[in-house]
Amino acid sequence: MSHGRSSLDRREFLRLTAVTVAAGTIGPTFAGCDDGGDEETLEGIGPASSAADIARVFPQGVASGDPKPNSVILWTRVELSGDAPVDYEIATDQAFTDPIIVGSLTSSDDADHTLRVKPTELEPGTTYYYRFRADGVTTEWGRTRTAPTADDAAEVTFAFASCQDFNGRYYHAWHALVERDDVDFVMFLGDYIYETGNDPRFQDGTAERKVDIPEGISLDEEGIAKAALTLGDYRSLYKQYGSDKDLQEARRRFPFINIWDDHEFADDSWQDHSTHFNGAMHDQGDEKDTDRKTASNRAFFEYQPIDVEHDKTKKYPDDIRIYRTLRFGKHVELFMTDQRSYRDDHLISEHETNDDTGKVEMDTALGSRQLLKKIGFDALEAEAKPTLLGADQKAWFIDKVNGSDATWKFWGNEVMHGQLAIDLSDVEALPESFKGDFYLTVDQWDGFRSERAEVLAAIKDAGNVVVLTGDLHANYANELQLDFDAPGDPVAVEFVTAGISSRSFEEIIGRIVENSDLLSALGLAPVVAEMDDRIRARDPHVKYVKNKAYGLGWVKVSEGSLDVRFIEIDDVTTTTYSGSSGEVKFTVASGSNRIELA
Ligand SMILES: [Fe+2]
């Protein structure tokens, strides 16, 4: 809403204003609701309290999410017990000189004192400020921005990010984004929390940055490595991750659009199954735990400003559906998918050996989810045709993309779409049967190649499909092919962002080799350092690769072209931010499906 609006227009607008709240509420008050007399002045909730008081009462700060032309979700959490009143106000200026909505909510134990409110008659493409007050303490302002309407040719700028492991690591990438202050929203592609603490494969907690999991499952005999199990565990992780000041500053300034990946529930999970024990724990089956998945879904809903329905009386898969679309003006539509809740199990069981994929040991991820012989896996996959999206979501997705008239269609995609194989035929120590191409991980789309080709073929004519991906902890720019082994003209592009902080892909592969007597003996350690070159050499669809990277992605969208950048951070283990280490820039011309390194 512009400041120059006449008071009549303003009253008209405010009369139309409505609010939906998903928590107990006393109800909002709108300025100027009475048409008769002078415009009513709303009683505001006062300036921000001291930082110490805010941290005590609002330890996870404030946030907003899922902006639409007329609505946005506003979120906070209070550290108060029982039913506590929480007031809020919304204004178009940072000083709240003229609040347009004030209201009151009630926090409860039931939602772990998280609160959400959805004003539903806001103005499109408009910046709003909001704040909350509880127990005599007022938060800092939060800022959000509604989406432009579908006919508005406005430029749209946004960040995309994923993977913010807290253990021993810092969120300098969020600091860099706050410093730039140049995006309309942030698309978060999953691994907002990690369900584990001290997982030896990739986590090293420090005295200052470690997580506490109150109940949990022990992942080792010493009980050092643990994974979240209960609702209390998952809530506790969101609280600890949410305590980070850089993350709080990013959430305070930009609306977020969140989907989950595996770690919001469990590493390399599928449906309500985890894979922590790689088939070794038969008393736990293949680690199916519907209550655990349901608990993780509930905590995600409570702690994210997501505009979907959640039914806490139901269990997975009937509790929540997070796949959805969001529209930002003429040029941008987002298609946010859920690639964990409906997917099939990994094709090769952890609890078997398999000559075709090179799986030589029982009860391991190697040869099941990681490092599989491509030729053997491809034959098995072509027969089984496992699904990653699930039938319903796949039909929904294809329909939505083809029905969109947005110039650019952005697919919020959790796991890497482009093929990621490495040729090991020149590694001398490898036995003959191991010489050839290997997939690095089939937890991503390489494990679902039939469906990948089917979906891409079904949406390619929609044009200007841009796949945005997290999960891998590496930067990639890919031109996507219907058949990566028989490349033709590319049909879409993909940008994979490095993690905000999580251990890089190169380091994770390094640890897999280091921790495996077999792989070390086969002489694979030197190959890890050559990964970027080997991938580039084998896979021409990979236009850019950096497997040791941290940071986030940035996109500016206009009618004719796309400007995409990887904002890079060198070190995420130092406590202090020393600046972004630079940007890698790309452009994509409309209609080209080609990536140019700018
Ligand atoms: Fe991750």
Side-chain angles (χ1 to χ4, degrees), residues 162-164 190-191 194 261-263 471-473 502:
S162 72
C163 299
Q164 51 182 13
D191 294 0
Y194 280 74
D261 191 23
D262 52 341
H263 288 285
D471 178 57
L472 196 63
H473 312 175
S502 303

Side-chain angles (χ1 to χ4, degrees), residues 122-144:
L122 302 175
E123 293 279 282
T126 303
T127 297
Y128 289 95
Y129 295 86
Y130 61 93
R131 58 189 178 189
F132 294 91
R133 182 173 178 84
D135 199 25
V137 174
T138 302
T139 64
E140 293 273 7
W141 55 262
R143 185 186 64 194
T144 193

Side-chain angles (χ1 to χ4, degrees), residues 7 94 152 263 353 368 439 485 522 550 559 564:
S7 107
Q94 216 178 82
D152 186 334
H263 288 285
T353 59
S368 168
Y439 288 125
D485 297 325
L522 293 176
Y550 304 98
E559 176 135 31
V564 181

Side-chain angles (χ1 to χ4, degrees), residues 51-279:
D53 280 343
I54 295 172
R56 174 172 55 79
V57 178
F58 298 92
Q60 285 78 36
V62 300
S64 71
D66 282 15
K68 295 176 183 172
N70 302 115
S71 71
V72 65
I73 300 282
L74 307 178
W75 179 97
T76 193
R77 179 180 172 277
V78 290
E79 186 70 44
L80 297 170
S81 55
D83 296 351
V86 181
D87 298 329
Y88 64 91
E89 64 177 330
I90 305 170
T92 51
D93 70 319
Q94 216 178 82
F96 294 82
T97 46
D98 195 10
I100 57 162
I101 300 173
V102 297
S104 190
L105 312 166
T106 305
S107 82
S108 72
D109 294 337
D110 191 49
D112 205 21
H113 300 272
T114 60
L115 292 139
R116 59 181 61 229
V117 57
K118 181 184 176 183
T120 53
E121 297 284 347
L122 302 175
E123 293 279 282
T126 303
T127 297
Y128 289 95
Y129 295 86
Y130 61 93
R131 58 189 178 189
F132 294 91
R133 182 173 178 84
D135 199 25
V137 174
T138 302
T139 64
E140 293 273 7
W141 55 262
R143 185 186 64 194
T144 193
R145 186 167 174 79
T146 50
T149 50
D151 58 353
D152 186 334
E155 251 182 21
V156 177
T157 308
F158 65 95
F160 61 106
S162 72
C163 299
Q164 51 182 13
D165 186 11
F166 189 87
N167 294 264
R169 316 180 85 79
Y170 295 87
Y171 299 162
H172 301 325
W174 290 131
H175 195 129
L177 187 68
V178 166
E179 209 168 68
R180 299 172 67 99
D181 201 18
D182 62 352
V183 294
D184 298 318
F185 61 87
V186 174
M187 177 194 287
F188 197 90
L189 294 160
D191 294 0
Y192 188 92
I193 58 161
Y194 280 74
E195 85 285 14
T196 50
N198 294 321
D199 185 325
R201 294 169 307 160
F202 66 97
Q203 290 177 322
D204 303 295
T206 56
E208 188 182 298
R209 296 283 275 194
K210 59 179 164 43
V211 296
D212 178 40
I213 296 172
E215 297 170 89
I217 311 166
S218 282
L219 299 180
D220 54 23
E221 276 161 20
E222 302 79 40
I224 296 166
K226 278 172 89 178
L229 175 65
T230 64
L231 179 58
D233 290 336
Y234 286 107
R235 284 171 165 175
S236 163
L237 285 167
Y238 281 102
K239 277 176 256 197
Q240 294 172 75
Y241 277 65
S243 72
D244 181 272
K245 295 297 176 206
D246 289 317
L247 173 59
Q248 283 186 19
E249 283 302 289
R251 298 222 305 169
R252 183 163 90 84
R253 282 177 168 77
F254 315 114
F256 271 51
I257 295 165
N258 288 81
I259 47 175
W260 58 51
D261 191 23
D262 52 341
H263 288 285
E264 278 84 354
F265 167 45
D267 179 42
D268 285 0
S269 53
W270 58 279
Q271 299 177 26
D272 50 355
H273 296 245
S274 62
T275 61
H276 297 296
F277 300 102
N278 289 321

